[in-house]
Amino acid sequence: MTLMMNSRCLITFSVVSLATSLHGNMKLFVERHSHVVKIAKYSDVYDSYAIKVGNFKIVSLDSDISNDEKCVEDGLISLTDIKSGWGNGAHPTTKLCLDFVSSNVKYGMTVLDYGTGSGILSILAAKLGASKCIAVEVDEDCIRAATNNARLNNVEKIVDVIHTKSVYIGDDSFPEADVTIANILPGPLSRLVAPIWMLTKPGGLVCLSGMRPEELSAIRRIYEPYMNMQTEETQLDSHDLYGDWVRWSVRTKIMSSAERKQEIQKLSMLSVEF
């Protein structure tokens, strides 16, 4: 049965039953019948949103899920508490990063997700087979939302949600990432060049977004000393409501130990100056 959620999306469920609350608000009850696990959800139909990314459908529900409920349906990612942990795929930069993760994260990879928000990128990476996802966030509400969403999607053992103050370069708990994604604003991107570069493997992939096209050149100049600019790729997304946004991806330079040490010293001196 197919239910029209809103003007933006259609969601199809194997079994759908509808009820009306005392206040006349339509509620959706979803129950799987092909597997042993039930995905019973209460959500306001008109506050739900869904997108398709590769072989996955990502459904954002504006409701709370109890601690004993988990979404284990193949090809489905469920997000809740998206008001505090923003990132449901509606914004062009999130969609750009989701497409990047879908195309580049492979089985067994380690992923660094700087500015995780709702946890959407890390959860998708875990579902694609990443062995470890470090989801870094500064906002406490987002940390709670991302932690809940990782649990909801049964990837809490893969996705490690941490506060940015707990990030220590050289700590064994932070293995160098094969892929690093940072979907944040240009200001934080410019300040985070040190951890983003130093926590990504030499030759690893870095994906930066959250920028307008006219803001990219400044970010490129900051990251250029540490990146192999011959590998850079730029993707633009134009949206009627949100306007133009850009995603920039590039591989980190492969340096000798001496060169890397020298660059680290430069960054350390810059951090002291700031």
Side-chain angles (χ1 to χ4, degrees):
M1 177 178 178
T2 301
L3 173 69
M4 178 66 76
M5 303 290 286
N6 51 40
S7 61
R8 296 173 294 180
C9 60
L10 284 170
I11 295 183
T12 303
F13 298 105
S14 56
V15 176
V16 175
S17 60
L18 298 175
T20 304
S21 72
L22 293 176
H23 299 287
N25 294 322
M26 193 186 315
K27 298 293 179 180
L28 177 66
F29 298 76
V30 183
E31 183 177 350
R32 294 186 57 211
H33 68 287
S34 57
H35 295 281
V36 296
V37 181
K38 182 170 71 173
I39 316 175
K41 311 296 176 269
Y42 291 85
S43 69
D44 191 323
V45 172
Y46 299 105
D47 286 336
S48 300
Y49 180 74
I51 61 171
K52 183 80 171 178
V53 179
N55 295 323
F56 289 89
K57 180 183 291 183
I58 301 175
V59 182
S60 299
L61 305 174
D62 198 9
S63 64
D64 291 326
I65 304 296
S66 65
N67 289 332
D68 59 348
E69 290 178 326
K70 291 192 176 185
C71 171
V72 295
E73 183 172 348
D74 292 339
L76 180 65
I77 294 174
S78 292
L79 302 174
T80 187
D81 201 12
I82 54 175
K83 284 186 176 179
S84 59
W86 56 283
N88 64 355
H91 195 276
T93 60
T94 309
K95 184 61 167 61
L96 284 168
C97 290
L98 285 167
D99 290 338
F100 178 87
V101 170
S102 179
S103 299
N104 291 282
V105 173
K106 310 299 181 185
Y107 184 82
M109 282 186 169
T110 297
V111 174
L112 174 62
D113 175 14
Y114 236 106
T116 192
S118 66
I120 186 172
L121 299 177
S122 287
I123 293 167
L124 176 61
K127 292 285 188 178
L128 287 167
S131 60
K132 187 70 173 177
C133 299
I134 308 297
V136 183
E137 182 56 62
V138 67
D139 185 274
E140 294 291 349
D141 287 335
C142 290
I143 290 173
R144 175 177 53 79
T147 301
N148 289 340
N149 284 324
R151 177 198 52 76
L152 173 63
N153 289 278
N154 204 32
V155 293
E156 67 270 28
K157 293 182 179 180
I158 299 172
V159 177
D160 187 9
V161 183
I162 64 169
H163 195 283
T164 185
K165 65 184 179 183
S166 300
V167 175
Y168 294 100
I169 297 171
D171 191 329
D172 290 340
S173 63
F174 294 93
E176 291 181 331
D178 298 284
V179 176
T180 294
I181 314 108
N183 182 26
I184 44 183
L185 296 174
L189 283 177
S190 65
R191 295 190 296 271
L192 290 171
V193 59
I196 287 175
W197 169 59
M198 295 171 69
L199 291 173
T200 306
K201 288 181 179 178
L205 268 173
V206 171
C207 170
L208 307 180
S209 194
M211 302 168 285
R212 299 287 189 178
E214 62 270 19
E215 296 169 326
L216 175 58
S217 60
I219 296 300
R220 286 180 77 256
R221 285 195 299 271
I222 293 170
Y223 281 79
E224 185 173 3
Y226 318 102
M227 302 296 159
N228 180 357
M229 300 302 284
Q230 294 181 344
T231 66
E232 68 173 330
E233 294 183 5
T234 303
Q235 183 69 42
L236 177 71
D237 191 301
S238 297
H239 193 280
D240 292 340
L241 177 62
Y242 296 109
D244 295 340
W245 296 85
V246 68
R247 179 191 78 204
W248 183 61
S249 60
V250 64
R251 289 192 178 274
T252 58
K253 280 183 179 179
I254 298 177
M255 303 179 181
S256 67
S257 298
E259 289 172 327
R260 188 173 175 87
K261 183 177 180 180
Q262 186 178 23
E263 293 298 336
I264 291 172
Q265 288 175 340
K266 289 180 183 178
L267 285 172
S268 299
M269 290 175 64
L270 283 173
S271 65
V272 171
E273 290 176 7
F274 282 114

